[in-house]
Amino acid sequence: NLKEVKACFAIGRTTSKEVSISARSNGTINVQLIMEKMRGGGHFTAAATQIESASIDPIKDELLKVLRLFMNDAKHE
């Protein structure tokens, strides 16, 4: 159910040497903090990062790790 989606992340190659992540939220999750942990930035509801990488997979794995830490921290607040 899309009504339950609070944030989304799109990962893709933007150049032959760069992978980008675009993050958006409905205002309940601060995607700026998440992207800052991945060397990016932006605003509370819209943020992004660009990372030099030969492959999308390690960037995806890093994002999942950051998301797990972020969600774990949110449970303890």
Side-chain angles (χ1 to χ4, degrees):
N1 185 349
L2 287 178
K3 291 181 181 182
E4 296 176 15
V5 174
K6 296 179 180 173
C8 64
F9 301 84
I11 304 173
R13 181 162 302 290
T14 48
T15 71
S16 63
K17 296 181 181 178
E18 184 177 82
V19 174
S20 295
I21 301 174
S22 177
R24 300 292 183 269
S25 84
N26 67 357
T28 60
I29 293 177
N30 187 343
V31 293
Q32 176 184 358
L33 294 177
I34 295 167
M35 290 295 97
E36 284 177 355
K37 292 195 180 302
M38 296 195 66
R39 304 167 300 282
H43 301 279
F44 194 99
T45 60
T49 188
Q50 296 79 38
I51 303 167
E52 283 194 28
S53 178
S55 174
I56 291 174
D57 288 334
I59 304 304
K60 178 187 80 171
D61 292 343
E62 181 181 353
L63 174 61
L64 291 172
K65 180 180 175 183
V66 169
L67 287 171
R68 283 186 204 101
L69 291 171
F70 181 85
M71 297 309 290
N72 190 41
D73 288 348
K75 286 181 190 176
H76 293 100
E77 289 183 353

